[in-house]
Amino acid sequence: MAAAVTDRQDGPVALSLPAPRTPDPASAPALRWGILAPGGIAHAFASALRARTGQQLQAVGSRSLPRAEAFAREFGVRTAYGSYAAAVADPDVDVVYIASPHSEHQALALLAIEAGKPVLVEKAFTRNAAEASSVVDAARAAGVFAMEAMWTRFQPRIDVVRQCLEQGLLGEVHTVLADHGQRLHPGGPARLAQPELAGGALLDLGIYPVSFAHLVFGGFESVSATGQLTELGVDAQDAITVTATNGGLGLLGTTMLAKTPTTASISGTEARLELDGDFYSAGAAIRLVDTDGSELDRFEPRDRDHGLHFQAAEVARRVVAGELESPLMPLDETVAIMTALDQVRAQVGVRYPGE
């Protein structure tokens, strides 16, 4: 639709959404991937790589060899291993994807880094900021690429959001609203209820609105939270307020007790962006809305599947270029986000065994 015209200090400006700059994932150089822990997210990742990229599935590692072999048959993976160490040590593996529960991320990432393998670690990156820092320090010391698999960051639609912020299209940004709620407890995946596996709503669901707000604001000055715990002591739901380093305010929420709208918005002095539910998904539309509430422009993604192929392509491009991290999900930002999640857990009263 045609964009409206609004008055700015430097004169009338037609507001419209920029086009995404994201390269076609199929054009990324092909790497040979080793996948650790063939669970649900690993299935989605492997499906995306086979359907939408030229990446190769070289190896899969699991504590259960039959489980690894079943995964290999399903996705045409060349070699199945009954241990993580064996998969990482495979000389034909170029890069490792870690899809285990959060409780194992640190150990498996360090295993891959010690083997000299670039690593993509599922979000949340680790259980806490201290573990995240240990992985980042090890990767930098070894000169090995590492990245958090916050897959939304690499979607074309989020590049539209990023450009709006870079161009100041919204004016001065004051407010971010975002929530993520799914009916996952009780009766959902067992790991979400288990403290020893770093369960709860925050690391699985809440990281999406927290990471989104951090992308928008560029950093948090403070984090405040309240929440509700399950009988085993993980967080069932959290209400989070963040203040940005520039004075903005974010109102964020997460729950695994109910399905919420799971929408997001960024409000500035000149306009706002509204991201439809589920706001993190590859197919959700983005609307540019004027201060009077009228829609100025809309971005409807053409790519509406899961979207995990974009992050794999980003890893491949950076690794082949000899880079050690991605500017779209920098390691220091990953640690900063984990620090914010630590603050939420401390205020809500969640502590994982062994921390």
Side-chain angles (χ1 to χ4, degrees):
M1 62 180 296
V5 175
T6 187
D7 289 332
R8 297 281 187 90
Q9 291 181 352
D10 56 352
V13 177
L15 294 185
S16 60
L17 293 171
R21 304 165 294 188
T22 309
D24 182 354
S27 69
L31 297 182
R32 297 170 296 181
W33 289 77
I35 296 178
L36 304 188
I41 191 63
H43 278 71
F45 184 78
S47 295
L49 262 61
R50 289 189 69 190
R52 303 302 303 275
T53 76
Q55 305 302 308
Q56 300 174 21
L57 299 177
Q58 177 66 34
V60 56
S62 172
R63 291 194 180 99
S64 166
L65 180 57
R67 192 176 183 209
E69 289 173 337
F71 186 92
R73 286 193 299 270
E74 182 176 356
F75 294 103
V77 183
R78 293 176 181 173
T79 311
Y81 294 99
S83 76
Y84 298 135
V88 166
D90 186 329
D92 293 326
V93 167
D94 298 320
V95 58
V96 172
Y97 169 61
I98 295 172
S100 68
H102 311 114
S103 53
E104 298 184 77
H105 285 183
Q106 178 194 32
L108 294 183
L110 293 176
L111 184 71
I113 291 166
E114 185 178 356
K117 301 294 174 69
V119 63
L120 174 65
V121 185
E122 255 310 318
K123 52 82 194 151
F125 193 65
T126 51
R127 295 187 303 173
N128 54 50
E131 291 182 354
S133 293
S134 73
V135 172
V136 169
D137 291 346
R140 287 173 171 165
V144 171
F145 178 93
M147 191 180 83
E148 179 183 6
M150 177 46 72
W151 58 282
T152 59
R153 290 288 184 104
F154 310 99
Q155 299 170 3
R157 55 194 293 281
I158 296 303
D159 185 61
V160 172
V161 173
R162 190 178 287 110
Q163 289 184 75
C164 288
L165 298 171
E166 292 170 351
Q167 298 171 13
L169 191 67
L170 308 180
E172 186 176 356
V173 172
H174 288 290
T175 307
V176 171
L177 307 176
D179 79 285
H180 187 187
Q182 306 287 346
R183 180 70 169 89
L184 297 175
H185 180 82
R191 66 176 181 81
L192 291 177
Q194 298 174 6
E196 63 273 19
L197 297 182
L202 186 65
L203 297 194
D204 262 88
L205 306 179
I207 189 170
Y208 285 98
V210 172
S211 184
F212 179 76
H214 204 278
L215 169 67
V216 175
F217 288 137
F220 299 151
E221 186 70 27
S222 66
V223 178
S224 300
T226 186
Q228 177 183 356
L229 305 186
T230 70
E231 64 282 357
L232 294 181
V234 300
D235 58 305
Q237 54 183 353
D238 309 286
I240 306 164
T241 303
V242 298
T243 56
T245 50
N246 68 353
L249 186 69
L251 303 176
L252 317 173
T254 187
T255 180
M256 61 180 184
L257 301 178
K259 180 69 179 85
T260 66
T262 310
T263 57
S265 65
I266 307 168
S267 297
T269 52
E270 300 295 337
R272 73 174 179 269
L273 290 180
E274 296 180 350
L275 285 71
D276 288 349
D278 291 331
F279 79 86
Y280 60 86
S281 67
I286 300 174
R287 294 186 303 278
L288 178 64
V289 180
D290 205 349
T291 53
D292 65 2
S294 61
E295 184 176 296
L296 302 176
D297 202 2
R298 173 187 293 258
F299 177 75
E300 294 278 0
R302 291 180 295 177
D303 195 329
R304 294 182 175 275
D305 60 11
H306 199 287
L308 296 178
H309 48 295
F310 289 106
Q311 67 179 356
E314 173 71 5
V315 171
R317 291 189 184 94
R318 300 296 173 182
V319 168
V320 170
E323 300 177 45
L324 300 183
E325 60 185 289
S326 167
L328 302 184
M329 190 68 251
L331 292 172
D332 287 343
E333 185 175 5
T334 286
V335 174
I337 290 169
M338 290 306 310
T339 300
L341 299 181
D342 284 357
Q343 292 174 305
V344 172
R345 286 200 296 118
Q347 293 175 47
V348 172
V350 176
R351 185 177 180 84
Y352 301 130
E355 285 191 302

